[in-house]
Amino acid sequence: ASHVHGKQWYQRRVHGATRGPMDEAALRQALGDDTITIDTFVWNQSDVPDPQRISSIPGLAERLRRSGHRTHTQAAALRTGTRTEEMNQAAARALLAQYGSQEEFEAAIRAAEAEVLAKRNELMRQQVMIRLYESTLAHQEAAEAAEAAQ
């Protein structure tokens, strides 16, 4: 069967919803902006009566194909990676604005690490003092119990 360019296509969306009708230009646009991929199920009401992946319909993928076509997984990974990179760049810009330079930022990290180490040492000292106090109480209670037994 030949695939006439003027056909109206329908897209199966998540949870069985249908999008369409749309022409091939709309499919191409959706493919280009990652709204759909070559793995998306589409059909028309003539020679593709049942939903099929764009990639399995002879000639359709080639007509729609742009250099940047992707699978859903690749598109999602690209969007996630792009967002992560954008967030990392935004965080780096904010830190640079806050500290002025890489050297000032690294100095702030060293100061924070020293502060954490000092707090850790203080907490450990307090923990030793608590254990000594508990041990002293236990000895006093034992001595009082022994004295009361006499």
Side-chain angles (χ1 to χ4, degrees):
S2 68
H3 293 272
V4 179
H5 300 296
K7 289 189 177 148
Q8 294 298 298
W9 292 90
Y10 298 84
Q11 169 199 346
R12 186 170 72 197
R13 301 187 80 173
V14 179
H15 308 299
T18 298
R19 178 178 172 214
M22 65 185 106
D23 61 12
E24 285 189 14
L27 284 176
R28 185 177 301 106
Q29 176 64 40
L31 187 65
D33 65 18
D34 293 329
T35 304
I36 66 170
T37 72
I38 60 170
D39 295 328
T40 299
F41 286 84
V42 297
W43 69 97
N44 61 41
Q45 295 182 332
S46 59
D47 59 336
V48 185
D50 299 312
Q52 296 181 37
R53 292 181 191 272
I54 290 172
S55 60
S56 69
I57 300 171
L60 182 59
E62 291 73 19
R63 289 194 307 274
L64 300 179
R65 189 166 308 218
R66 291 171 24 145
S67 60
H69 78 282
R70 302 173 188 90
T71 65
H72 284 301
T73 303
Q74 291 168 329
L78 180 64
R79 286 191 298 271
T80 300
T82 300
R83 281 195 299 268
T84 301
E85 182 60 27
E86 287 169 357
M87 290 186 325
N88 288 344
Q89 289 175 358
R93 284 191 299 273
L95 288 171
L96 186 58
Q98 182 178 352
Y99 292 100
S101 70
Q102 179 76 22
E103 293 77 22
E104 289 179 32
F105 174 69
E106 290 172 358
I109 289 176
R110 286 191 299 276
E113 288 171 341
E115 186 177 331
V116 167
L117 185 59
K119 286 183 180 184
R120 179 182 172 272
N121 289 340
E122 175 60 21
L123 289 172
M124 289 176 66
R125 186 188 69 73
Q126 289 175 358
Q127 191 175 32
V128 167
M129 297 298 289
I130 289 169
R131 287 188 182 144
L132 284 172
Y133 178 72
E134 289 171 343
S135 177
T136 302
L137 282 179
H139 286 302
Q140 284 178 344
E141 289 171 358
E144 290 172 2
E147 189 176 306
Q150 290 180 354

